[in-house]
Every structure is written in C-alpha cells, then in structure tokens.
Amino acid sequence: MSQVLQNQMDKRQAENKQVAKKPILIARDLKRHYEVGGGMFSKSSTVRALDGASFTLTPGRTLAVVGESGCGKSTLARVVTMIEQATEGALEIEGDAIGEKLAQGNKELRAKVQIVFQDPYGSLNPRQSIGKTLMEPLLINRPDISAKERETRARDMIAMVGLREEHFDRYPHMFSGGQRQRIAVARALMLDPKILVLDEPVSALDLSIQSQILNLLVDLQDRLDLAYLFISHDLSVVRHFADDVMVMYLGKPVEQGSMETVFSQPRHPYTKALLSATPVADPTRKSKRIKLSGELPSPMNLPQGCAFNPRCWRASEKCRSTRPVLTGAGDGAGTDLGDHLAACFHPLEDED
Amino acid sequence: MTDNNTDADTTLATPIAPPGPLREFWSYFSENRGAVAGFYVFLLFLFIAIFAPLLAPHSPSEQFRDFLLQPPVWEEGGSWAFPLGTDPLGRDMVSRLLHGARYSFFIGVVVVSLATFFGVGIGVIAGFSPRWIDTLIMRLMDIVLSFPSLLLALVLVAILGPSLINAMIAISVVLQPHFVRLTRAAVMTERTKDYVTAAQVAGASTARVMFKTVLPNCLGPIIVQAALSFSTAVLDAAALGFLGMGAQPPTPEWGTMLAESREFILRAWWVVTLPGLCILITVLAINLMGDGLRDALDPKLKRS
Amino acid sequence: MSLLEIRNLTVEFRTASGLFRAVDSVDVTVENGDLLAIVGESGSGKSVSMLAVMGLLPWTANITADKMEFDGHDLRSLSAKARRQIVGKDISMIFQEPMSSLNPCFNVGYQIKETLRIHMGMGRRERHTRAVELMTQVGIPDPEKRLSAFPHQMSGGMSQRVMIAMALACKPKLLIADEPTTALDVTIQAQILDLLTDLQETTDMALILITHDMGVVAETVDRVMVQYAGQRVEEQMVDKLFANPHHPYTTALLAALPERAQSRHLPTIPGVVPGQFDRPQGCLFSPRCQFADARCKSQPPGRAGQELGSVLCHYPLVDGAPLNKEAS
C-alpha cells in the first residue's frame, strides 16, 4: 500500500515540477450562513454551514474536500458553483472577482464552473432526452451557435464520455446509474468549463461502476486540463483520486495539505480518527480504530473553543476556551509544517 | 425444479424490449377494470358529442305539436318515430339528449382548459416566488375555497348575468384553486431536485426553469385533477342549468332539460329521468377513468 | 441442525412487463453464533432473499424453495400468525435508513416497550427496566431520559442504536442487518459495527450483515457470500476470499477497489449488471467476464466444490488463473 502511495507521489511530484501552473480559482475565507427558524413567535438563529474556507484550484489538479455530513462540504460546492452567494469572503476566477458580477447575471463567468451531483437519478430531467439535455446549456449560453453545430457538439461529447451514438435520443429512465453519471459529466462539460465541482460523484454507484466513472474523470482531467473540486466522504476514493486534501469539521477546515502528507502524517486528531475509522478491505490488517465517542454537535449550538473538543482525546483546557486557527506553524510540535496546515493546539507528531 | 429453472432461463434470455412509457401507462391503467369501462364510456360520449347532428333523427328544437309527451317506444303508446318519447313541447328526447352531450362536453373542455391554464400558471408562480407573494396567493385561494363551490358559482353568475358562457367562467373560477394548490405542491417538491439546480448552473433563466424544466415534470397529478374536474364541471353546469342560472331554454342542456320538465315528473317520468341518467352515467364514467389515471400516473401509488 | 437453512430459494416479482427473477436458487446456511456477510451490488438480490425469510415481501412476489427452515420451523408452511411469533422475536432485522425505520409519532420508549409487550408479555415495570437495560447495552447515554425522546430529536447514529435495541429486545437467535451503516458517517459507522460484533460475541446470536462495502466486510465478518444478479456465486471465509477469490466477479470486484489500485487508472468491470430484459444465456456474468468463452455464453455453469468456494463458474480461478481451461 505505502509502496503504491510512494509511486504515485513520485509520479505526481515529477509532473508538478515540470509545470508550476497558476491557480485558476482563489477562494479567501468563504463563509455561508443561514438564518433558520424565525417564525412569528421564535427568534431566528444562524447556522454557520460554511465558516471560513480558503483554498486555490489549479488546472490539472484535484482538491478533495472530505468530512462527515454537516461539515459544510456541500455548501462549499454550492458557493463555488455560484448556486448560492457567499455571505462573506472572496471568490476569484481567473482574476475576476465574483460578487457584483454574479448579481448582473454574468453567464460567461458561470459557464466556467460546472457541477456533477451525487444522485444520478435526480440530476437528469426525466422529460428531456439526452440530446436535449446536452444541448440545453449551449442553447442558453451560446445563441451564436447554430442548431446543427449544437447537435454535432452534443454527439461528440456523447462519444467522449464513452456512450454510444444511439443514446442521443433516449430518455434518462432507460439508463443505469453509471450511464446517467456519464451523461451528467457530459452535460457539465458542454460549456467548456475550466473547473468541475464533483459533489460525491461516485458514492451512489456500485463498486464496479465507480471505477469506470473515476477512470473517466481522470482521463477527462488529463485531456482538458480541468481543475477538480472533489467532494467526498470516502477516504479510499480520495486517496486514489486527489492531489490536495482539505478536511472539514462543522463548517471549518481543520487540516489542509497535499494528499500524501495529510494521509501519511495527519496532524489534526479528527483527520487521524477519520482515517482510522475508514474500513480497509484487508482482513489481515488488524485495525487500531480510534474510537470517537459522541456525535456531531448541532451546528446551531457549537461548543466553545475548538469545535472538535468534546470528541477529542487530546483536548485540554485551552481547546475548550479558545478557537484554534488554521496554521502551518504547527504550534505544539514546534516544527514548521510548511504547506501542511492544521487547526489544532496539540497537533499529532509523526510517532503518534 | 431444476428443469423448470432452465426453462425459465431460456425464456428470460430471449430479449424483450423494455416497455415504452405509453405501454407501461396502459398496463397500470388497465389493471383497474372500472377505469377501462369508464374510458370506453367516455369515448362513446366523445363520439356522440362530435357526431350528434348526424346521429340525431330530428332537430333538437323542432316541435311536433301532435305528439306532446309521447312515452318511449317500450311503453304503451310509444312509437319508433320517437324512441325515447317526446317532451311537453313535442320535441324528440333522443335528439335533445344527443345534442345535450355536445353541450356537456363543450362545457367540460372549456372549463377545464380555463381552470388548468390559470391554475397551473398561478401555481407555478406561487411555487417559485418569494415567501410573501406565495403566502398572498395561497391565502387568496383559501378564501375562494372556503365558499361552498356551487354557492360561489351562483353568486358569480348572478353578478355576470345568467348564460352558459358566464356559468362556465364561474365554474372555472371555483375549480381553479384546486389546480393552484396541486401545482404549487408539485413544483415545491420538484424544484429542489438536482436537475433543476443543474439547469440553473447551466444559466437557465427563472422563466425557463419554471415552465420548461419543472412544469413538464409536474404534469402527472395535474392530468388526474383535470380529468376529475371535467366531471365536476359537467355536474356543476347541470346544477346551474337546473337552477336557471346556466344555459337558458330552449338549449338542450341536460340540467336545463331537467329544470324545464320538473313539473311533469309524476305524469311523464322519462322527461326527467333520462337527462338525469345521462348526467349520472357521464360523471360516473369520468370519475372511474380519473381513478385509473391516478393509479397510473401518481408516482406515490406506483409499484416498481 | 442449523439455525437457518435455505435450499434453492427463488424469488420472482410479477411486474407490469412480466416476471422478474430477483433471487435465483440461493442456498444459505447459518449456525448459531455465525457471522456471515452477504455482499453484492444493487440488483444482486441480497436484501430480497432475507426479506423472503422474514416474510416481508409484497404480494407481487412468488417465493419458491426446496427448504426454508429456521430453528426447526418450516417457514414455507407457517401461518401468518405463527410466523409473526417468530419474526421479531427469534429473527430480527435492522434496516439501512434508521431515521425512517422509527415511527415518528411515538417516543422511543413506547416503541421498544411495544415489542416487549407483544412478544414477551412483560408487565409495565418489567418492561421499563428491560428497556433501560437495552438502551444501556447499545451504548445510549442517559437511557432513562432518552426513552421519552422522539425519533426526530435524535441523530442517525442514535436512531440506529435504538433500532438495534429494539431488534435485541427479545434476545433473538438471528439478527439480519441490511446495510446498517450505509447512511451513517464513517466515525459513527465504526461505532455501530463494533457494537454489532460485540453483541454478537457476548450473546451468541447469529448475525447476517448485508452490505456492498468490501471494507466493512473485511473488518467485520467471518464468512462471506457473494451474490451477483440474484445468484450465489461464491462463498468463503473472509481471509481466504480476500487472499484468493475463485470467481472472476469477486476477483474483478476486489481489483476495482481504489485502495488496491496500482496506477491512476483503476481496473474496471465493463458493462452493467443484467436486468430484467437483458439476462444472458449461460453464465450470468459471462458478458462482463474477461475469461468467458463460448461455453460460458451458452451453458449455465455448475457449482464447484467447497475447496473452491462453491463458486458458480465453469473455470474457477486459482491464484488469478482459470482452472480446467485447457481441458475444454
């Protein structure tokens, strides 16, 4: 396993050295808060679904966002895709700041970021044939393209994602989950986006289909130089697929860094717990699971200090009163972690 | 057992095409025998409505002064010239009933079209608009629904003046809130689905999302409601006609016919019973058909 | 005598477009204290066979079996009333969606006590004591207070614990867990799986775990049964299955695991699981199998011996290479 990891690491580092690309998307301290409740008789309260995430996306690379339900990873996807506006923070795509521009309905900017959803059964319009589904984005965004050209492009895209010509006129109910996910990917690519947000694209699929879709995504990235924001809760998929990782807990990133360093030397106790809880398909490996006691706290009622402290085995007085910030200084360890960031007062050392 | 298995395997192995949506619909629909019967009666009704002038032996308004209140053919004194007898003015019952089907069908189509068009439009808008507009629309609909429907229709006709057209408008107004509610509920469930978000990410305008993306997926329950409203429209129109607020004599509308001949109920049963029977059969058939449609189209009742 | 013994179970559903065979002559044997996993992808019929045992299938299902015995009772000839006395008491089941498995109208305590009242005929106070005991057993903190909580007030993990408490209420001999952790987060999944295996060890109850997650299988169970398109294609002890799978499907499935990947490209299984309308002749896996030949495509395979994992294959694999291939 570690040998494989090493190989991949070497390969990718070699690639990265060749071309140090400029980031295409820069997000600074993105926040998204919701007002909930607030009926006639109750006071509304604020849910901090996403509470300060900063990251960059680079063409040809994949940033994976991992975390459990309620950690804000899907909200992050919706903010980056401009389905929802950030409450605070800045989002910049190829130097264009999003914010006022979105309000003016800037279609060009929107076309640069597209999304693939988790559920292949809900993400396709059941009353639209595949051809119409694929041509719709062009019809809306590129009125200069003729109907004939639209159809040619849609047919080319069908071939590119590995479907057959005759699928063009069929309806979604005639396809299996894996085929539908291919169609969803094809639709996302119709506008030649630079960034693809993948919101759990394979978690609703069977194992044998999952690998087909992952391969397709790898191929497309190599071919089109796409930047991926890959949202997942499945760490074994992330380990295979991602270049960089951001671990989130209750709306905040708690650890951020390259895939190799985060997976081999997790600094945040939560990352460590997440890694140890992920089942590994190897019966000979005796797992030393870190048992996290307790459940996720309600996002409306966050604990004081570090959000993870009620479940953390290393929590101290400081953790219960002060909120740690995401830093590369590696406080407790006394060593500089560089690009590997963690939000913890007592980060794990190598031997832990 | 094993023999059976291999047999079954080979039959299963022969490629069977998955059923098209229309065949699937029919297979669900035809499971309900009442619905199929209702459907055939409705087809007959439609046929009569279209070809009434060709089928009717006489004009519906021609008065045969020598044959006032002649009984149907099987009663004593009946004749084949007037198989179902004549009314107090000597008009042929068969011809009047056949032409009545025309009016009823016309009323049903117009009322349902009006109610569906406005109801669905308002419903979609309510489903997509901000909360306060939505609340405003829905409370308005609640007010309309809080009146007894026939009473409200009566009041509307009283304001507009009694005529068939006004009766149809009044009935559409009364029926339309049902469509608003239904459409809004369907839109609310559909609009959170991923394919709608995907259309928005692709840059679709709100109007496009409302009417091109979401609305076609809400049609199932709306069709069922339209079918059931058809019978309500026929029934309400007949009731308004009976109360003198709908079609005016000498129009051979079933409800009006009933009202006209009310006083003869003891002397000549056929002039009252036959139009009543027509209303009953038509409404029953459409309701049965509507139930079948619900079985076939309502996703909640669908078995996979 | 085995606790659960099923021979040649076939389940067919009557659909709008003809019969659909969901389970195809499956055999299952479970002894007291067994820990068995049934693995398969969607459409493999892994849940349907267990629902048939529980008698929970809709009326559109035709169930046939040569033998279907639980603890000496013939489940085929049992009346509905007699079946109800076994199901829920000696056999229990928990489901994938804990949030929708609990009735939102009643509090948790009522739902646990209801089971106790119906099957055990306990008195009021006795029921309360037992309910608290069960809640403690499944690791719910503050059980006295939680008994009066309603399902919507609890998280998914807590709801699943309550479901397990209800399932354990009558000390069942067999617990069937149908994807019990699929809807839960990994840290909670780890807790629930530990709880289930602990309970299985301490109470000597048999546990059948239905899942699609190879990781969960590897870490949890002793014996694995692999199902494909309604058929039992392989059955082995867990360490042997992962070390040396004999059926090409199992082999391909394990190779497709991202964590076993050797390169950026994952090995895949081409095609999809056959559905109602494209069931192949011969071996059901043949259209997707890299070792398939003319014989596989025309004749249904026989079952190999136990030493080869009872695989349903013409050419069982040994160390990744097909056996008997030259002979044909």
Side-chain angles (χ1 to χ4, degrees):
Chain A
M1 194 69 219
S2 59
Q3 183 59 42
V4 177
L5 202 67
Q6 191 63 44
N7 287 346
Q8 281 181 20
M9 230 168 6
D10 293 345
K11 202 179 113 220
R12 282 190 205 162
Q13 271 166 5
E15 281 170 7
N16 293 341
K17 263 175 205 150
Q18 283 173 0
V19 263
K21 281 176 186 150
K22 266 175 66 185
I24 186 162
L25 179 142
I26 303 170
R28 281 192 210 91
D29 206 25
L30 282 184
K31 289 183 183 177
R32 172 74 196 160
H33 298 171
Y34 297 99
E35 297 287 320
V36 292
M40 216 179 284
F41 307 106
S42 56
K43 229 180 91 187
S44 69
S45 53
T46 311
V47 174
R48 294 161 184 270
L50 178 65
D51 202 20
S54 308
F55 55 90
T56 57
L57 295 179
T58 319
R61 283 181 74 84
T62 302
L63 169 68
V65 180
V66 296
E68 298 177 288
S69 53
C71 74
K73 54 191 197 295
S74 286
T75 309
L76 179 68
R78 293 176 76 89
V79 170
V80 171
T81 326
M82 292 167 262
I83 300 166
E84 285 176 21
Q85 268 204 301
T87 318
E88 262 177 64
L91 194 61
E92 216 173 82
I93 296 175
E94 285 189 318
D96 285 330
I98 296 169
E100 307 87 64
K101 281 208 172 164
L102 187 64
Q104 295 157 17
N106 189 326
K107 281 185 180 171
E108 251 173 72
L109 207 56
R110 185 157 243 178
K112 282 182 187 164
V113 190
Q114 291 291 310
I115 185 165
V116 176
F117 295 99
Q118 169 176 8
D119 174 18
Y121 291 87
S123 64
L124 296 177
N125 187 342
R127 305 252 168 192
Q128 232 175 15
S129 71
I130 303 315
K132 284 229 174 76
T133 303
L134 294 186
M135 290 189 294
E136 193 181 30
L138 288 178
L139 184 74
I140 296 166
N141 287 281
R142 306 284 300 277
D144 51 308
I145 295 177
S146 71
K148 212 170 158 204
E149 170 71 14
R150 269 206 300 274
E151 189 175 328
T152 325
R153 287 199 190 183
R155 285 188 189 278
D156 290 349
M157 189 58 76
I158 282 185
M160 182 141 103
V161 297
L163 292 170
R164 289 198 303 274
E165 180 85 343
E166 68 258 29
H167 290 149
F168 189 82
D169 291 316
R170 298 204 183 152
Y171 284 83
H173 71 93
M174 301 161 100
F175 293 93
S176 66
Q179 285 174 317
R180 284 172 192 233
Q181 207 60 311
R182 283 177 194 270
I183 298 162
V185 171
R187 175 181 57 195
L189 292 177
M190 279 311 283
L191 292 171
D192 298 322
K194 303 275 167 51
I195 299 158
L196 212 51
V197 176
L198 306 163
D199 190 356
E200 308 249 14
V202 294
S203 46
L205 303 176
D206 280 322
L207 187 55
S208 68
I209 308 298
Q210 171 180 307
S211 51
Q212 294 175 9
I213 299 295
L214 286 176
N215 285 350
L216 173 70
L217 290 171
V218 166
D219 286 344
L220 289 172
Q221 185 170 42
D222 290 348
R223 209 156 133 189
L224 306 171
D225 205 25
L226 294 163
Y228 283 164
L229 180 68
F230 185 80
I231 303 208
S232 180
H233 68 273
D234 188 338
L235 291 185
S236 51
V237 172
V238 169
R239 191 197 302 255
H240 170 75
F241 195 70
D243 300 296
D244 304 295
V245 178
M246 181 160 89
V247 183
M248 291 183 68
Y249 189 74
L250 286 171
K252 273 185 182 283
V254 293
E255 184 156 1
Q256 214 167 332
S258 72
M259 187 275 288
E260 299 86 12
T261 50
V262 172
F263 275 65
S264 56
Q265 310 158 331
R267 295 293 175 196
H268 199 284
Y270 177 65
T271 314
K272 178 96 179 164
L274 212 54
L275 280 168
S276 81
T278 305
V280 176
D282 182 3
T284 53
R285 196 196 77 132
K286 281 289 151 263
S287 64
K288 294 178 290 172
R289 263 186 216 149
I290 297 168
K291 275 196 195 168
L292 282 185
S293 55
E295 311 264 324
L296 278 175
S298 150
M300 267 184 271
N301 191 12
L302 288 182
Q304 275 265 310
C306 174
F308 187 57
N309 84 65
R311 302 174 76 190
C312 183
W313 66 100
R314 292 168 76 94
S316 67
E317 262 324 298
K318 195 178 178 193
C319 302
R320 292 188 192 97
S321 56
T322 327
R323 213 155 210 239
V325 288
L326 201 63
T327 165
D331 287 20
T335 46
D336 189 9
L337 303 176
D339 286 344
H340 186 176
L341 311 178
C344 185
F345 293 124
H346 312 290
L348 298 158
E349 316 259 339
D350 285 352
E351 60 269 27
D352 285 331
Chain B
M1 189 68 209
T2 36
D3 282 355
N4 279 346
N5 269 348
T6 44
D7 270 352
D9 272 344
T10 44
T11 47
L12 281 169
T14 51
I16 323 162
L22 209 67
R23 239 193 74 196
E24 194 195 44
F25 164 77
W26 182 251
S27 93
Y28 278 115
F29 185 75
S30 57
E31 259 177 33
N32 186 337
R33 291 217 195 117
V36 178
F39 178 66
Y40 287 130
V41 173
F42 181 76
L43 281 187
L44 182 73
F45 175 53
L46 176 67
F47 177 80
I48 291 173
I50 294 172
F51 296 105
L54 300 176
L55 296 170
H58 307 283
S59 153
S61 49
E62 193 183 352
Q63 299 180 3
F64 299 92
R65 290 293 174 147
D66 301 335
F67 303 96
L68 300 185
L69 283 178
Q70 192 180 46
V73 66
W74 61 88
E75 298 256 313
E76 209 180 317
S79 81
W80 275 109
F82 308 106
L84 293 177
T86 56
D87 72 354
L89 295 174
R91 291 172 297 194
D92 177 32
M93 284 302 285
V94 175
S95 311
R96 285 181 70 75
L97 289 175
L98 290 178
H99 276 86
R102 257 195 154 181
Y103 281 95
S104 291
F105 197 83
F106 175 63
I107 291 163
V109 169
V110 172
V111 167
V112 168
S113 315
L114 280 177
T116 313
F117 183 77
F118 288 104
V120 169
I122 297 172
V124 172
I125 290 168
F128 271 94
S129 52
R131 209 149 107 186
W132 68 272
I133 297 181
D134 178 34
T135 314
L136 189 75
I137 293 174
M138 291 325 286
R139 288 305 84 77
L140 242 138
M141 294 304 137
D142 286 346
I143 291 171
V144 176
L145 282 174
S146 64
F147 287 101
S149 61
L150 197 63
L151 190 69
L152 184 63
L154 261 176
V155 171
L156 286 174
V157 175
I159 297 167
L160 297 169
S163 79
L164 188 60
I165 300 292
N166 289 344
M168 289 194 293
I169 293 173
I171 298 167
S172 335
V173 171
V174 172
L175 285 182
Q176 165 259 38
H178 297 279
F179 285 94
V180 176
R181 281 191 151 187
L182 194 73
T183 312
R184 176 176 167 270
V187 165
M188 298 280 237
T189 46
E190 286 296 321
R191 68 177 283 201
T192 52
K193 292 204 177 148
D194 281 342
Y195 72 87
V196 181
T197 316
Q200 283 165 345
V201 173
S205 62
T206 313
R208 192 187 168 90
V209 170
M210 278 160 79
F211 293 103
K212 277 213 103 149
T213 313
V214 173
L215 186 57
N217 289 295
C218 303
L219 285 182
I222 294 174
I223 291 172
V224 176
Q225 178 68 26
L228 295 174
S229 298
F230 197 102
S231 68
T232 316
V234 171
L235 202 60
D236 280 1
L240 285 178
F242 183 77
L243 294 171
M245 298 298 229
Q248 298 301 307
T251 320
E253 199 271 325
W254 292 339
T256 316
M257 284 164 73
L258 264 179
E260 264 178 85
S261 45
R262 204 172 19 180
E263 55 199 279
F264 302 97
I265 188 156
L266 292 175
R267 268 199 293 151
W269 58 267
W270 58 93
V271 283
V272 189
T273 315
L274 292 175
L277 215 57
C278 286
I279 297 172
L280 174 87
I281 291 170
T282 313
V283 171
L284 186 66
I286 296 172
N287 278 344
L288 285 175
M289 190 179 77
D291 277 344
L293 278 179
R294 191 195 305 257
D295 286 352
L297 292 178
D298 195 333
K300 266 181 262 157
L301 298 172
K302 219 169 209 176
R303 285 155 285 134
S304 61
Chain C
M1 187 184 62
S2 302
L3 181 65
L4 177 72
E5 193 168 6
I6 299 171
R7 290 281 159 273
N8 209 359
L9 171 71
T10 298
V11 180
E12 286 177 330
F13 288 100
R14 293 188 291 273
T15 67
S17 40
L19 280 180
F20 170 61
R21 183 170 292 186
V23 177
D24 194 351
S25 31
V26 163
D27 300 345
V28 188
T29 312
V30 179
E31 309 290 340
N32 275 315
D34 256 7
L35 189 47
L36 169 75
I38 303 181
V39 189
E41 300 179 289
S42 49
S44 63
K46 55 189 193 296
S47 303
V48 177
S49 51
M50 287 304 119
L51 288 171
V53 170
M54 299 286 285
L56 293 176
L57 288 174
W59 58 272
T60 49
N62 293 340
I63 305 169
T64 54
D66 292 351
K67 191 174 185 186
M68 199 150 113
E69 274 186 15
F70 174 76
D71 205 19
H73 303 279
D74 187 353
L75 293 173
R76 289 173 304 168
S77 58
L78 226 50
S79 70
K81 201 179 165 202
R83 185 190 279 271
R84 276 203 298 273
Q85 290 190 336
I86 296 177
V87 169
K89 185 167 183 283
D90 292 334
I91 318 179
S92 277
M93 192 159 179
I94 51 176
F95 300 95
Q96 177 174 348
E97 281 291 338
M99 304 301 250
S100 53
S101 304
L102 288 168
N103 187 338
C105 288
F106 299 101
N107 68 34
V108 169
Y110 177 86
Q111 296 185 50
I112 296 182
K113 288 172 192 169
E114 192 184 25
T115 324
L116 293 170
R117 184 171 55 84
I118 293 169
H119 286 297
M120 312 293 271
M122 286 180 176
R124 179 180 277 273
R125 185 159 308 148
E126 221 179 333
R127 284 206 297 269
H128 186 76
T129 327
R130 176 77 178 131
V132 173
E133 193 184 301
L134 282 165
M135 299 277 272
T136 322
Q137 198 181 1
V138 297
I140 295 177
D142 208 357
E144 288 270 359
K145 216 168 111 192
R146 288 283 180 145
L147 277 180
S148 53
F150 281 88
H152 70 268
Q153 295 166 322
M154 294 191 302
S155 65
M158 275 299 153
S159 303
Q160 196 60 292
R161 282 171 196 270
V162 171
M163 285 307 297
I164 295 173
M166 283 171 68
L168 292 177
C170 308
K171 302 198 175 120
K173 294 176 181 147
L174 172 65
L175 177 66
I176 302 169
D178 186 357
E179 305 258 8
T181 57
T182 306
L184 305 176
D185 287 320
V186 276
T187 54
I188 310 297
Q189 163 172 297
Q191 294 174 5
I192 298 288
L193 288 176
D194 281 348
L195 171 67
L196 282 174
T197 44
D198 282 353
L199 288 169
Q200 185 266 336
E201 270 168 34
T202 50
T203 60
D204 197 39
M205 143 189 101
L207 176 67
I208 298 181
L209 182 72
I210 302 173
T211 183
H212 68 276
D213 190 329
M214 283 297 184
V216 169
V217 170
E219 295 202 346
T220 318
V221 301
D222 301 332
R223 192 156 56 98
V224 188
M225 177 171 136
V226 184
Q227 266 191 220
Y228 180 78
Q231 293 180 330
R232 178 175 74 127
V233 295
E234 180 161 4
E235 185 168 340
Q236 282 208 74
M237 299 310 280
V238 67
D239 39 348
K240 289 197 186 128
L241 183 94
F242 279 83
N244 192 0
H246 294 310
H247 197 281
Y249 172 65
T250 322
T251 315
L253 207 56
L254 290 173
L257 285 169
E259 55 202 82
R260 294 196 167 195
Q262 300 294 319
S263 68
R264 257 199 115 187
H265 260 150
L266 294 167
T268 61
I269 310 178
V272 293
V273 181
Q276 186 177 0
F277 305 108
D278 51 4
R279 235 174 138 85
Q281 261 183 328
C283 172
L284 291 184
F285 188 59
S286 62
R288 304 176 74 190
C289 181
Q290 56 167 330
F291 303 108
D293 62 9
R295 186 171 157 219
C296 299
K297 291 194 165 82
S298 56
Q299 297 170 18
R303 196 167 288 287
Q306 208 139 60
E307 72 289 351
L308 284 171
S310 323
V311 290
L312 204 60
C313 182
H314 286 300
Y315 311 111
L317 302 182
V318 174
D319 299 323
L323 207 66
N324 322 331
K325 187 97 183 190
E326 294 76 16
S328 66

